């Protein structure tokens, strides 16, 4: 029996869409190039994860100078969400509007926050988000409360929260998709960047995919790498070409969904070029692969030499005092806790001897400063002899430097005499987005407001590639909300009885 819907990719977008479509009873086939993560001896081994990179793919891409690098993407059931920090934060209302930044003006979205709010609420329910309303002045309107209360601060983080308040900030709880008891039962570590094999994180597999696969009409096939989509002269995708155990296979379905992440989705569409679509599929606008965005991020470590940080997981606190800008200053971004840095992690990412790294880690409070990257058509994904080339044109960097400077100043005011910072590698696409942007104009965008391709009426793109702007918060919840919105539209227009 042929499927009614083929979904390529089982990450946050693909899994959430499958959950939305599953109750229809239609045959849904999910294709995933990787396999399911199984419990292993390395799951909580910081040296193996951060030093040896045991879970990283051996794939290489090219940067803007044609130099090969390891991008740090993960290919497994659940996609990158299996390793994410589980911060499920809504975009702010202003993020959907054109906004003046230090580095330029964002274009805004073709939909408003209010259009997506019901889907944000539904996504928070699906991913069992734990949070607390009323703490963050920048938080947008909610039509309901969080399903669960916030993950509690550990003692030293509760003390940090009070110090930040005394310094004039408005610290708030990070909305998190974490079952703390289940996570810590698997090991006394943070969850940020650790693989979820115990079910403690609410990721694409443990929530979206689990709900979808509870329906007998939904099937997941692993080890299937899609290499091309085919189409004729018309406006529909004809088939999906994939490699399974070294053999080529072609499948067809009335509806095709691509949800492989901003870089891989663009690469697949470009690789599918044919005589009728010489620039690549869904690329009548020449926007596929363009406008790549990837948050400007820095790790900021604050410490007091005579005060220890005994936290295990740490990642419960954020503040957005600089997010929307104030006193004539442009928007700067979000600050949130990193998962607790340990000696092996610090040693693997610095030149410090292990004993020095241990001393610093035992006293350090670790922050993640994140600023918006602005869309630029020359910041793009292309193919060079079949290999992915990612030429990221970083933007708005001055604003990020201001954010880091403000953060250092306020942390010193909060009682930390030593504050250090390190920018994240510009070649690491941790929050990749924007390469198949959403828009109302088919000449300037790739998909419409329901993630349907302007060029191919049976093709939907449901991942971070459709985001018109990156905002300055983690994209996972917005991806899930857009997938639910797209799913509702598909049910109403394509799969109605």
């Amino acid at each position: 029996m042929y499927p009614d819907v083929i979904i390529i990719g089982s990450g946050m977008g693909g899994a959430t869409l499958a959950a939305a479509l599953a109750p229809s009873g239609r045959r849904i086939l999910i294709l995933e190039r990787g396999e399911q993560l199984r419990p292993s001896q390395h799951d909580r081994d910081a040296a193996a994860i951060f030093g040896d990179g045991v879970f990283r793919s051996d794939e290489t891409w090219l940067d803007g100078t044609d130099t090969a690098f390891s991008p740090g993407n993960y290919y497994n059931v659940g996609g990158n969400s299996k390793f994410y920090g589980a911060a499920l934060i809504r975009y702010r209302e202003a993020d959907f509007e054109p906004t003046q930044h230090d580095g330029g003006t964002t274009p805004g979205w073709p939909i408003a926050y209010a259009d997506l709010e019901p889907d944000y609420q539904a996504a928070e329910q699906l991913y069992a988000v734990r949070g607390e309303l009323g703490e963050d002045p920048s938080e947008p309107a909610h039509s309901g409360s969080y399903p669960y209360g916030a993950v509690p601060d550990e003692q030293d983080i509760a003390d940090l929260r009070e110090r930040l308040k005394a310094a004039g900030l408005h610290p708030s709880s990070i909305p998190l998709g974490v079952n703390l008891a289940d996570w810590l039962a698997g090991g006394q570590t943070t969850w940020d960047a650790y693989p979820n094999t115990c079910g403690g994180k609410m990721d694409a597999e443990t929530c979206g995919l689990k709900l979808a696969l509870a329906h007998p009409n939904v099937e997941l096939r692993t080890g299937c790498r899609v290499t091309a989509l085919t189409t004729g002269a018309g406006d529909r995708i004809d088939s999906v070409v994939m490699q399974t155990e070294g053999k080529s296979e072609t499948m067809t379905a009335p509806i095709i969904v691509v949800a492989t992440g901003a870089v891989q989705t663009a690469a697949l569409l470009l690789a599918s070029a044919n005589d009728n679509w010489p620039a690549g599929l869904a690329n009548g606008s020449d926007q596929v692969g363009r406008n790549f965005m990837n948050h400007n991020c820095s790790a900021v470590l604050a410490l007091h030499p005579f005060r220890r940080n005994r936290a295990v997981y740490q990642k419960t606190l954020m503040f957005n005092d600089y997010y929307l800008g104030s006193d004539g200053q442009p928007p700067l971004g979000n600050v949130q806790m990193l998962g607790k840095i340990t000696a092996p992690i610090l040693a693997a990412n610095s030149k410090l001897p292990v004993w020095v790294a241990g001393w610093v880690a035992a006293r350090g409070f670790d922050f993640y400063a994140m600023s918006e990257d602005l869309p630029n058509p020359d910041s793009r994904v292309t193919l060079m002899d079949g290999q992915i080339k990612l030429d990221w044109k970083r933007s708005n960097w001055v604003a990020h430097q201001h954010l880091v400077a403000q953060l250092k100043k306020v942390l010193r005011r909060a009682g930390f005499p030593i504050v250090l910072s390190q920018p994240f590698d510009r070649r690491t696409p941790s929050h990749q987005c924007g390469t198949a942007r959403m828009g109302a104009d088919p000449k300037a965008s790739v998909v419409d407001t329901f993630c349907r391709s302007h060029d191919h009426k049976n093709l939907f793109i449901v991942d971070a590639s459709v985001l018109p702007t990156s905002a300055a918060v983690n994209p996972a919840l917005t991806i899930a909300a857009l997938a639910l919105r797209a799913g509702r539209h598909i049910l109403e227009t394509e799969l109605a009885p």
Side-chain angles (χ1 to χ4, degrees), residues 79-93:
N80 288 325
S81 77
K82 297 300 294 183
F83 293 83
Y84 78 153
L88 294 165
I89 309 170
R90 299 186 183 200
Y91 275 21
R92 277 36 196 160
E93 290 171 302

Side-chain angles (χ1 to χ4, degrees), residues 287-460:
Q287 293 302 302
V288 169
R290 296 186 182 274
N291 304 297
F292 175 85
M293 295 168 283
N294 185 44
H295 289 141
N296 298 309
C297 299
S298 291
V300 179
L301 186 148
L303 63 89
H304 190 294
F306 305 121
R307 191 166 59 238
R308 296 176 69 89
N309 178 8
R310 295 156 292 183
V312 173
Y313 51 88
Q314 181 174 268
K315 192 179 178 71
T316 55
L317 183 153
M318 69 175 183
F319 57 88
N320 288 307
D321 293 75
Y322 310 123
Y323 195 93
L324 300 176
S326 61
D327 300 325
Q329 293 289 324
L332 298 183
N334 165 269
V335 177
Q336 60 186 256
M337 303 301 292
L338 279 168
K340 184 69 183 78
I341 290 178
T342 61
I345 297 174
L346 190 56
N349 289 277
S350 70
K351 297 180 180 179
L352 294 176
V354 173
W355 72 269
V356 176
W359 186 92
V360 172
R363 291 158 179 79
F365 290 79
D366 318 298
F367 296 84
Y368 187 54
M370 176 164 43
S371 303
E372 183 157 355
D373 185 27
L374 311 183
N376 176 352
D378 293 327
S379 181
R380 63 189 300 192
V381 175
T382 55
L383 296 176
M384 179 177 288
D385 297 326
Q387 187 173 17
I388 291 173
K389 179 176 179 177
L390 175 58
D391 186 5
W392 177 30
K393 309 291 187 183
R394 191 196 288 273
S395 72
N396 207 33
W397 184 246
V398 171
H400 182 66
Q401 292 176 313
H402 288 165
L403 175 64
V404 172
Q406 290 277 46
L407 176 57
K408 288 182 174 180
K409 184 185 303 182
V410 78
L411 288 174
R412 293 188 182 101
R413 196 160 67 240
F416 297 96
I418 303 172
V419 186
L420 308 171
S421 65
Q422 177 65 48
F424 276 62
D425 190 329
R426 67 190 306 274
R427 298 179 301 178
T428 302
S430 54
H431 289 166
Q432 55 185 267
C433 62
T435 60
R437 68 192 307 180
M438 174 191 295
D441 182 1
K443 296 181 180 179
S445 59
V446 179
V447 300
D448 67 14
T449 59
F450 294 102
C451 301
R452 187 195 296 265
S453 163
H454 291 303
D455 295 335
H456 311 291
K457 301 309 178 186
N458 68 330
L459 173 65
F460 290 80

Side-chain angles (χ1 to χ4, degrees), residues 62-68 389-391:
L62 302 175
D63 65 13
T65 65
D66 296 337
T67 300
K389 179 176 179 177
L390 175 58
D391 186 5

Side-chain angles (χ1 to χ4, degrees), residues 36-49 52-56 74 76 82-83 183 185-187 189 193-199:
Q36 186 178 38
L37 285 175
R38 302 291 185 185
S40 77
Q41 62 182 338
H42 303 303
D43 292 351
R44 302 300 178 96
D45 184 341
I49 296 168
D52 301 333
V54 295
F55 293 102
R56 293 169 69 105
Y74 300 100
N76 41 252
K82 297 300 294 183
F83 293 83
W183 181 262
T189 71
Y194 283 76
N196 180 29
T197 59
C198 68

Side-chain angles (χ1 to χ4, degrees), residues 116-135:
L116 197 57
E117 197 284 331
D119 300 298
Y120 270 131
Q121 192 68 38
E124 287 168 350
Q125 295 293 322
L126 175 57
Y127 286 93
V129 179
R130 299 167 189 269
E132 183 68 38
L133 292 175
E135 295 179 332

